[in-house]
Amino acid sequence: MDKNLEKGREHPLSVIINNAVKVFTELGFSVAVGPELEDIFHNFDALNVPKDHPAREMQDTFYIKGEDGKVLRTHTSSVQIRFMEEFAKSGKKPPFAIIAPGKCFRNEATDATHEMQFYQIEGLLIGEDINLANLKGVLSHFYKKMLGEDTSLRFRPSFFPFTEPSIEFDLKYKGRWLEMGGAGMVHPNVLEACGIDSKKYQGFAFGPGLERLMVIKYGMPDIRPAYHGDLRFNQI
Amino acid sequence: MKVSYNWLQNYFEEKLPEPEKIADGIIFHSFEVEETDKVGNDTIFDIKVLPDRAHDCLSHWGIAKEISAIFDLKIKEEEYKTFEPKQTELKIEVQDEKCLRYMGRIIKNIKISESPAWLKEKLEAIGQKSINNIVDAANYVMFDLGQPIHSFDLDKLTSSKLIIRNAKAGEQITTLDKKEVNLDESVLLIADEKDPLVIAGIKGGVKAEVDNSTKNIVIEVADFNPVSTRKTARKINILTDAVKRYENEISPELCEKTMHAITDLIVKVAGGEVEDIVDVYNEKQEERTVEVSVEYLNKRLGSNFTKQEIENVWQKLKFEYTEKQDNVFEIKVPVLRLDIIGPHDLAEEVIRILGYDRLEEKLPEVKCEQKANDLFTKILYARNKLLTDGYSEVMTYVFRDKGEVEVLASASDKKFLRTNIADGLKESLKLNQLNMPILDLKEIKIFEIGTVFKKGKEEMHVAFNVKKEIKEMLLDEFCKDMGDVEVAFKELINSVPKLNSEDKFNIWSVYPFISRDIAVWMPESEDPENLKKILKEYGTDLMIKEPYLFDKFTKEGRTSYAFRLVFQSYDRTLTDDEISEIMAKISHKISENSSWEIR
């Protein structure tokens, strides 16, 4: 028997997730989690996504057979809601900063850049004067830590029911602008739905996909092998 | 939505910036531009209007207003011809409040013909087929202003009375594309005194269709409840350009301008005598004002914009405003901007018009209470423990062909959520065992940590293999000995290996590999690198990885080195013969060295 037991190889997504959590931990964030099988209230209603509104279709949702009101979460934004509800109930007052890496699901055709299951990393920072420039600062810091100092960040206008202003952000990496994800200032309706005074507190949220970061970091041509249980994928 | 550059130009006296500049302006201040296509002497933009701006921007006018604000260009407001008052026989009866406004107007003695060239050209540029001058005029005005329009042949109506009512159970309508649609009481209709004419806001019927012999028409410019229009459209599965606009909610105030525009255009292209407008508008849209201060905007954005800069934004967007007190504005929200409710919405207007590039990158200076998360720490702990024990991590699909929880609307054959990890892990084990020679592993040891779904609950599991057996348990059970969560988290997160900027992924070939083992006796003192060098050199480019030393032992002054060689091509399946040939050359080269011996 080999005494110098060789260490196993970690999945590249775990490498990315752990490093992301480390960077945010150093910035003062705490990890939060929530269920993958969610209810519509946490996945949509509390996030200011109106019923019977086209916005609800921006994300192709997996509904659950025989369980009205249940979905596979389409984003980690539901963790925001769960965290803030608990936080407000406990009687504590902001500031708070959470980071929630987690598996999400969308009912869409798979290709080299889309999978039905994928990871997002949700970030949420609420305080008295947390602003959009802080969001830019935090995201820029994060991507520099993950991909190197030679990256730059830009914002473009976007729309999410749960943020206002909403932005889409791109990253310049190795000379090319790449779409990375969505973010924005948390919509006052979302704070109020969780019992947080939106007149007094404000802050940002973001939720980029982690597969995207992984393929950019390692130059992967396709995200699908990530879920094939294939050890050839563990090269890092 | 397809938008024509030349059409936009009609809104401006000044020459517009080049199409590329326009596209960039829209991208960084308004919407994504998915495509910019040169078509003849025009450029067509495919603009992805954001859902909250579908109220006012699913139109050339809407995009022109954006361009006016972005590039600070003065927009021409179109002047429409007004007509002498003329009494009308048209009667409109709105029986249901799902109809928010209904404007009708009779135009008599029109002449149906082909559309003039300019009109055809405009519609064709954005991918619309020209039909006749009346239909084209209605389409044109919709793509120009964003308000759907319908026209009826007056002489085909039972009387000159239009009734907006719910359908009766069992009622039917034949749509313009000759489809029979069964209606129920939830469907709003435009009807004459006998029959349904139009599924309100969705699709016209054949009864009052405008055709080549039409002489007298009724123009409909109306507004309907977005939710009910959307529900009906989904139910009967008819999605039209009109539905797209109604379901996103448009202002009933838009009807008036549209009625003037369409009347003007019809008279221009088809002549006719215009009668008075009949307008049923019971609940007028309320005017909305929003108060916002310079301080609020800068606080939310993290900016230092001056009062003057912010005022400029209101002016560019043509917002009427007053300065209520020093540095506090009261904005009268334009009627079409249904998206602007509160000051946070104005913060978005300010930053998108001034430009997101004006924001600095500022790390927040706030200190939050930090707490380790139990579940995440356990995942870290379990993963670290298994990795240390030589297990490699895999991830497999949550979707399986059987289970206790089923998802809806999946076209896939894997509609169930996994109840265990073991089934997926078994498949992974099989795959990896086949790939063993290229994995440089003596034994396949794998694990996965993930959620499983049982009726009414989800659980976090850990599963790993012991030889061919899979062991699976609750994460909590696996982590019994973790100890204090704060201590564990700190230790584990601090020991996360640093990311290496050199790391690069190599995708494997989809063609099968061939592996061969070779063992060679060498003098104990000799460096096995000498052998490895030969293996690499004579292994050719088909040897896809470093020779892997899988066995080594020493006996009587000699050491045996056993290497595994793996051959694979990225563009074809290799044959046994060609690999044997390579192996023969390697053997020959090795035998040239008298102190070596192939075992």
Side-chain angles (χ1 to χ4, degrees):
Chain A
M1 225 4 235
D2 195 343
K3 284 201 194 79
N4 294 322
L5 190 63
E6 215 180 306
K7 211 177 163 198
R9 298 170 199 170
E10 196 167 9
H11 194 283
L13 257 174
S14 295
V15 177
I16 294 286
I17 291 171
N18 293 345
N19 273 280
V21 168
K22 188 177 181 188
V23 172
F24 284 111
T25 300
E26 284 160 4
L27 283 179
F29 287 68
S30 301
V31 175
V33 298
E36 292 170 19
L37 189 61
E38 254 300 358
D39 54 54
I40 286 180
F41 176 79
H42 289 93
N43 198 72
F44 289 128
D45 298 345
L47 285 159
N48 200 33
V49 189
K51 285 192 181 69
D52 297 308
H53 190 272
R56 211 166 265 215
E57 268 168 35
M58 285 170 79
Q59 305 168 345
D60 300 305
T61 310
F62 279 115
Y63 290 89
I64 305 298
K65 188 174 175 183
E67 284 191 69
D68 247 3
K70 288 276 191 176
V71 296
L72 285 177
R73 69 177 173 201
T74 55
H75 44 209
T76 38
S77 305
S78 52
V79 183
Q80 281 184 35
I81 304 299
R82 291 204 171 262
F83 178 85
M84 286 195 283
E85 280 175 336
E86 278 292 302
F87 189 87
K89 238 185 266 162
S90 74
K92 285 191 252 183
K93 298 275 174 244
F96 55 80
I98 59 159
I99 195 79
K103 207 182 278 170
C104 307
F105 307 85
R106 302 255 172 109
N107 187 5
E108 57 183 13
T110 60
D111 58 34
T113 55
H114 296 90
E115 255 298 0
M116 288 193 288
Q117 66 182 59
F118 58 95
Y119 274 90
Q120 265 190 357
I121 189 160
E122 190 80 8
L124 174 71
L125 174 51
I126 303 291
E128 283 184 18
D129 50 11
I130 303 301
N131 55 49
L132 202 60
N134 291 147
L135 170 65
K136 210 174 180 184
V138 166
L139 286 175
S140 175
H141 173 87
F142 171 62
Y143 285 104
K144 283 183 196 306
K145 288 281 175 195
M146 298 297 285
L147 295 171
E149 288 298 313
D150 192 22
T151 56
S152 44
L153 189 75
R154 76 180 178 199
F155 284 0
R156 282 181 290 117
S158 190
F159 169 74
F160 304 103
F162 33 96
T163 48
E164 184 77 27
S166 297
I167 60 110
E168 203 70 46
F169 58 95
D170 303 332
L171 199 71
K172 194 176 189 178
Y173 179 62
K174 297 191 171 163
R176 283 177 54 209
W177 284 104
L178 305 163
E179 285 180 37
M180 295 305 292
M185 292 294 288
V186 178
H187 197 289
N189 291 357
V190 174
L191 295 176
E192 295 292 340
C194 300
I196 289 168
D197 182 358
S198 69
K199 292 255 179 325
K200 187 153 185 217
Y201 301 107
Q202 61 177 42
F204 61 72
F206 54 82
L210 285 170
E211 278 84 353
R212 180 96 180 123
L213 179 55
M214 172 182 73
V215 299
I216 289 167
K217 169 85 192 159
Y218 299 121
M220 292 174 179
D222 195 325
I223 61 170
R224 284 168 293 189
Y227 299 104
H228 290 173
D230 190 336
L231 284 180
R232 287 179 293 181
F233 195 69
N234 297 23
Q235 298 176 6
I236 308 308
Chain B
M1 184 188 54
K2 293 216 167 9
V3 173
S4 145
Y5 178 81
N6 291 349
W7 191 330
L8 291 171
Q9 180 67 66
N10 288 356
Y11 276 96
F12 300 91
E13 295 286 353
E14 261 176 273
K15 173 93 185 77
L16 282 178
E18 291 304 302
E20 295 70 32
K21 279 229 172 76
I22 293 284
D24 264 3
I26 293 172
I27 289 168
F28 291 105
H29 300 277
S30 307
F31 312 120
E32 231 175 279
V33 178
E34 297 196 304
E35 255 181 293
T36 305
D37 265 342
K38 201 142 176 51
V39 180
N41 68 348
D42 199 357
T43 301
I44 306 301
F45 306 106
D46 192 359
I47 300 177
K48 202 169 156 191
V49 172
L50 292 166
D52 65 330
R53 298 297 306 282
H55 309 302
D56 71 309
C57 277
L58 283 177
S59 65
H60 282 76
W61 183 37
I63 300 296
K65 283 186 281 188
E66 289 296 296
I67 291 172
S68 158
I70 297 164
F71 294 93
D72 205 7
L73 293 170
K74 196 171 149 32
I75 196 165
K76 276 196 291 191
E77 287 297 336
E78 201 108 10
E79 301 266 323
Y80 303 112
K81 198 176 155 196
T82 51
F83 298 88
E84 291 293 311
K86 187 168 191 229
Q87 247 194 341
T88 183
E89 70 210 73
L90 179 66
K91 288 191 186 61
I92 292 167
E93 184 185 325
V94 175
Q95 293 183 354
D96 193 282
E97 58 191 23
K98 290 198 285 288
C99 175
L100 307 172
R101 185 174 195 177
Y102 202 99
M103 282 184 119
R105 172 176 249 177
I106 288 176
I107 306 179
K108 284 192 174 148
N109 293 318
I110 50 120
K111 208 173 159 305
I112 300 275
S113 67
E114 259 187 68
S115 292
W118 72 264
L119 180 52
K120 276 196 200 169
E121 200 178 289
K122 283 264 187 308
L123 287 173
E124 276 160 14
I126 57 166
Q128 297 293 315
K129 225 173 84 193
S130 168
I131 294 171
N132 62 44
N133 52 356
I134 299 296
V135 175
D136 288 0
N139 254 334
Y140 174 82
V141 174
M142 176 176 72
F143 289 111
D144 193 37
L145 301 180
Q147 165 70 51
I149 295 163
H150 191 78
S151 47
F152 305 90
D153 186 328
L154 176 64
D155 302 316
K156 291 180 182 169
L157 304 183
T158 308
S159 70
S160 51
K161 183 173 178 185
L162 293 176
I163 303 162
I164 296 89
R165 62 166 171 88
N166 288 323
K168 299 177 192 114
E171 223 171 349
Q172 273 194 334
I173 188 170
T174 309
T175 56
L176 286 172
D177 49 1
K178 309 286 182 288
K179 264 184 20 194
E180 288 284 335
V181 179
N182 295 320
L183 308 169
D184 63 42
E185 292 100 326
S186 72
V187 178
L188 191 68
L189 292 178
I190 320 301
D192 62 14
E193 286 181 298
K194 234 171 103 205
D195 302 303
L197 304 173
V198 179
I199 307 167
I202 299 172
K203 189 89 186 171
V206 286
K207 179 172 180 184
E209 181 178 4
V210 172
D211 60 33
N212 289 339
S213 55
T214 300
K215 288 200 168 58
N216 304 312
I217 58 169
V218 186
I219 301 292
E220 162 199 301
V221 181
D223 196 21
F224 305 104
N225 179 292
V227 174
S228 64
T229 307
R230 173 181 167 77
K231 280 189 173 162
T232 302
R234 307 276 137 167
K235 192 149 78 183
I236 60 179
N237 198 23
I238 301 180
L239 297 176
T240 54
D241 285 310
V243 171
K244 203 171 157 200
R245 286 161 178 82
Y246 283 128
E247 71 172 7
N248 278 293
E249 192 179 2
I250 44 183
S251 163
E253 293 290 319
L254 182 57
C255 290
E256 211 167 314
K257 181 184 173 88
T258 307
M259 185 53 101
H260 293 305
I262 184 66
T263 310
D264 187 14
L265 183 56
I266 286 179
V267 170
K268 263 188 204 139
V269 299
E273 294 133 31
V274 175
E275 296 187 0
D276 287 348
I277 298 167
V278 179
D279 184 7
V280 182
Y281 187 18
N282 292 326
E283 210 171 313
K284 209 172 147 44
Q285 183 185 332
E286 276 175 36
E287 272 188 17
R288 190 183 286 142
T289 56
V290 177
E291 216 179 274
V292 70
S293 66
V294 172
E295 187 207 348
Y296 171 89
L297 291 168
N298 281 325
K299 186 179 165 198
R300 199 162 172 86
L301 298 172
S303 53
N304 285 310
F305 296 135
T306 63
K307 189 173 97 181
Q308 188 55 51
E309 282 176 297
I310 288 161
E311 256 186 283
N312 281 344
V313 172
W314 312 145
Q315 288 161 6
K316 285 177 177 176
L317 288 166
K318 305 246 167 9
F319 288 179
E320 284 177 45
Y321 66 96
T322 50
E323 198 177 342
K324 266 188 84 180
Q325 35 176 299
D326 203 23
N327 289 314
V328 179
F329 296 107
E330 189 180 80
I331 309 290
K332 196 174 145 205
V333 179
V335 287
L336 302 190
R337 291 299 303 270
L338 301 175
D339 62 308
I340 298 178
I341 311 282
H344 48 284
D345 298 308
L346 293 171
E348 180 165 89
E349 295 304 299
V350 167
I351 192 61
R352 75 181 184 92
I353 295 302
L354 291 178
Y356 287 97
D357 53 350
R358 297 278 307 272
L359 289 178
E360 287 172 49
E361 294 176 0
K362 290 183 198 160
L363 278 179
E365 281 160 14
V366 62
K367 193 101 190 82
C368 301
E369 183 199 5
Q370 265 184 303
K371 217 167 159 273
N373 178 275
D374 187 61
L375 178 70
F376 188 79
T377 307
K378 281 178 176 156
I379 292 174
L380 278 180
Y381 173 81
R383 186 188 290 121
N384 186 59
K385 194 166 158 149
L386 285 158
L387 287 170
T388 310
D389 287 348
Y391 286 90
S392 293
E393 184 181 26
V394 296
M395 294 188 188
T396 61
Y397 286 109
V398 167
F399 298 98
R400 307 285 306 176
D401 56 5
K402 54 181 198 293
E404 295 171 20
V405 181
E406 185 178 351
V407 294
L408 285 175
S410 167
S412 133
D413 54 339
K414 295 196 165 51
K415 283 201 238 189
F416 293 89
L417 303 182
R418 64 180 176 190
T419 53
N420 64 56
I421 297 177
D423 291 345
L425 208 61
K426 265 181 221 153
E427 289 160 17
S428 164
L429 189 61
K430 214 162 124 188
L431 169 73
N432 289 311
Q433 258 152 359
L434 289 172
N435 285 334
M436 202 119 122
I438 46 174
L439 290 170
D440 296 350
L441 290 171
K442 292 190 183 72
E443 188 191 350
I444 300 296
K445 292 169 78 178
I446 52 174
F447 74 96
E448 179 170 359
I449 305 169
T451 314
V452 303
F453 300 85
K454 300 191 175 162
K455 196 98 212 141
K457 63 174 174 184
E458 62 179 79
E459 291 172 352
M460 188 61 79
H461 281 200
V462 182
F464 55 93
N465 71 305
V466 177
K467 302 281 185 222
K468 290 208 157 151
E469 291 296 303
I470 308 288
K471 294 213 169 195
E472 178 159 357
M473 63 187 79
L474 288 169
L475 177 69
D476 285 335
E477 196 185 323
F478 188 88
C479 298
K480 282 196 302 281
D481 303 326
M482 186 176 82
D484 181 71
V485 58
E486 293 293 338
V487 175
F489 178 74
K490 227 169 246 140
E491 200 181 300
L492 288 161
I493 205 71
N494 286 332
S495 60
V496 163
K498 266 214 164 86
L499 288 174
N500 185 345
S501 59
E502 304 302 308
D503 280 340
K504 178 117 181 57
F505 183 83
N506 296 307
I507 190 66
W508 48 86
S509 163
V510 294
Y511 296 96
F513 62 85
I514 294 179
S515 87
R516 294 290 170 88
D517 295 347
I518 187 164
V520 180
W521 284 116
M522 292 172 76
E524 197 180 348
S525 57
E526 191 166 354
D527 187 351
E529 278 304 311
N530 297 340
L531 172 60
K532 213 169 153 186
K533 232 194 298 184
I534 289 169
L535 295 175
K536 274 159 84 173
E537 189 184 340
Y538 288 84
T540 77
D541 290 345
L542 293 175
M543 198 163 84
I544 50 149
K545 49 200 292 123
E546 289 266 303
Y548 170 58
L549 179 65
F550 67 94
D551 191 31
K552 168 187 157 182
F553 64 90
T554 304
K555 207 167 142 190
E556 293 161 8
R558 292 200 302 175
T559 304
S560 161
Y561 295 97
F563 282 97
R564 179 161 299 154
L565 313 181
V566 184
F567 301 92
Q568 193 174 31
S569 158
Y570 273 86
D571 50 29
R572 66 197 163 88
T573 301
L574 298 177
T575 64
D576 247 4
D577 285 353
E578 63 186 313
I579 302 307
S580 298
E581 206 176 299
I582 291 172
M583 292 308 291
K585 282 183 185 150
I586 290 174
S587 303
H588 181 77
K589 187 71 197 167
I590 289 172
S591 63
E592 281 176 10
N593 192 324
S594 58
S595 64
W596 296 2
E597 185 196 338
I598 297 176
R599 277 178 65 213

